[in-house]
Amino acid sequence: MTHASFNPAYFGRLRDLEARSFWFQGRSRLIEWALTKYFPEAPSFLEVGCGTGYVLSRLSEAFPNIALSGSELFDEGLTFARERLVGIATLMQLDATAMPFKEAFDVVGAFDVIEHIEDDVIVLENIHRALRPGGGLLVTVPQHAWLWSETDVAACHVRRYSRTELRDRLRAAGFEILRMTSFVSLLLPAMLLARRRARSGDGMAEVEAELDLPAPLNAIGRATLWLESIAIRAGIDLPAGGSLLAVARKPPVAG
Ligand SMILES: C[S@@+](CC[C@H](N)C(=O)[O-])C[C@H]1O[C@@H](n2cnc3c(N)ncnc32)[C@H](O)[C@@H]1O
C-alpha cells in the first residue's frame, strides 16, 4: 500500500499558523535548548523534512554562526522556506528515505517528520550515515498510540510512537540515546478531549482546532509549555505528553 506522506496543500496554512501558535513556539524553544545543551559547538545543522522553514528560521536567530541546511520532499514547502531563509540556509528537495550524504553534518534534526514515513528506520539510518562520528540527532514525534484519531489519519501520520518504539528504532539505526522526554504533558487531557471530538476529516482543520487558539487560550498554552521547559531543563524527563523529544548521538570513532 502506498501512503502519501504529507499533503502539500497544508503548507500555506501551516506557514500562517506557525508564527502565532504556542505549540510551534514552545517546541522551537525546546529544540533551541537541546541544541545548546547537547551540541553547543556544532558547526553545521541539517533539518530533514524542513517544511516551510520555521524551525530553521528560529535557529538562524539563536545560532547565527551555525551553517544551516534544510531538505524537504515537496517543492511547495521549499517555496515558503526559500522566502524565509534567503541567504540564510542551503535548501534542497530530497526524499529522506534516499539521502545521499556521508559524514557531512554535525547535527541533524527531524521535527515531526518520521511519523509520516512507513520505513522510519531507513530514514534514521540515512541520518546516521549523514552525521560525522560523534554527531547529534534531535527528533520530535507525536506520542501515545491511544491518542490516535482521525486527526492523525488526515495529517498523513503512519503512527504515533511509544517511548520504547522510538528508543528501539534509534538504537536499530546505530544511535546512542542521550535524553528522551515527553512534552505537551500538562495539556494532555485537553488534547485527548479534542481528539475524541475530531470529526471533520480535514487534517489541517483539526490541527488548527488544537493549535490555532484564541489569544487567551494561546497564552495559557504558552505558559504550560514554559512550565514544562523549566522541568525539562532541570533534568526531569516528563513521562507522558502529546509529543516526544529524543536527543541521540552517533558514537564517536573508537580509539
Ligand atoms: C508535520 S510537517 C513538519 C515540518 C517541519 N519539520 C516542522 O516541524 O515545522 C512534516 C514534514 O515532513 C515532510 N516529509 C514527509 N515525508 C518526507 C520524506 N520522505 N522526505 C522528506 N520530507 C518528508 C513533509 O513534506 C512535511 O514538510
Side-chain angles (χ1 to χ4, degrees):
M1 186 185 82
T2 56
H3 180 88
S5 65
F6 198 67
N7 180 349
Y10 294 162
F11 284 120
R13 287 155 82 184
L14 277 174
R15 168 74 172 79
D16 296 337
L17 179 59
E18 288 157 353
R20 57 176 183 268
S21 164
F22 74 96
W23 186 83
F24 286 97
Q25 293 165 354
R27 185 191 59 156
S28 198
R29 270 197 301 274
L30 201 55
I31 291 164
E32 289 164 36
W33 164 79
L35 188 54
T36 306
K37 169 140 181 85
Y38 292 95
F39 310 108
E41 308 294 336
S44 62
F45 178 95
L46 167 70
E47 185 187 355
V48 171
C50 67
T52 68
Y54 173 72
V55 174
L56 283 173
S57 71
R58 295 286 304 258
L59 292 181
S60 73
E61 287 164 23
F63 305 91
N65 296 322
I66 199 164
L68 294 173
S69 302
S71 68
E72 165 56 45
L73 183 59
F74 291 104
D75 262 331
E76 288 89 337
L78 284 173
T79 302
F80 289 106
R82 283 192 194 102
E83 277 172 20
R84 271 183 166 143
L85 296 162
V86 60
I88 292 174
T90 305
L91 297 170
M92 57 205 117
Q93 194 274 325
L94 207 58
D95 184 340
T97 63
M99 278 168 40
F101 307 114
K102 189 167 180 219
E103 299 190 4
F105 298 98
D106 298 286
V107 180
V108 174
F111 308 119
D112 292 272
V113 173
I114 62 171
E115 71 273 14
H116 292 265
I117 300 174
E118 290 281 356
D119 199 341
D120 53 353
V121 174
I122 288 252
V123 175
L124 294 173
E125 286 171 351
N126 286 344
I127 292 174
H128 189 273
R129 192 177 343 99
L131 282 168
R132 300 199 171 95
L137 168 63
L138 306 177
V139 192
T140 59
V141 290
Q143 193 180 206
H144 304 309
W146 49 261
L147 267 182
W148 183 268
S149 74
E150 284 303 311
T151 306
D152 293 283
V153 178
C156 311
H157 291 171
V158 182
R159 66 189 78 78
R160 303 183 69 89
Y161 290 79
S162 69
R163 191 172 292 243
T164 308
E165 279 164 349
L166 183 59
R167 192 183 55 222
D168 289 351
R169 285 165 205 223
L170 287 168
R171 286 188 180 149
F175 286 100
E176 291 172 0
I177 293 157
L178 306 179
R179 184 84 194 264
M180 204 176 263
T181 179
S182 304
F183 62 104
V184 198
S185 302
L186 296 169
L187 291 173
L188 200 51
M191 203 176 157
L192 185 57
L193 206 62
R195 295 281 156 142
R196 290 267 157 85
R197 295 164 64 136
R199 301 230 180 282
S200 75
D202 173 348
M204 260 318 286
E206 299 299 351
V207 168
E208 283 166 340
E210 277 182 26
L211 303 183
D212 192 10
L213 303 177
L217 292 180
N218 201 43
I220 291 171
R222 194 177 291 128
T224 64
L225 291 194
W226 176 73
L227 281 173
E228 290 177 15
S229 83
I230 291 177
I232 292 169
R233 285 161 194 251
I236 296 168
D237 290 337
L238 303 178
S243 293
L244 195 54
L245 165 73
V247 182
R249 185 175 74 142
K250 175 173 179 169
V253 176

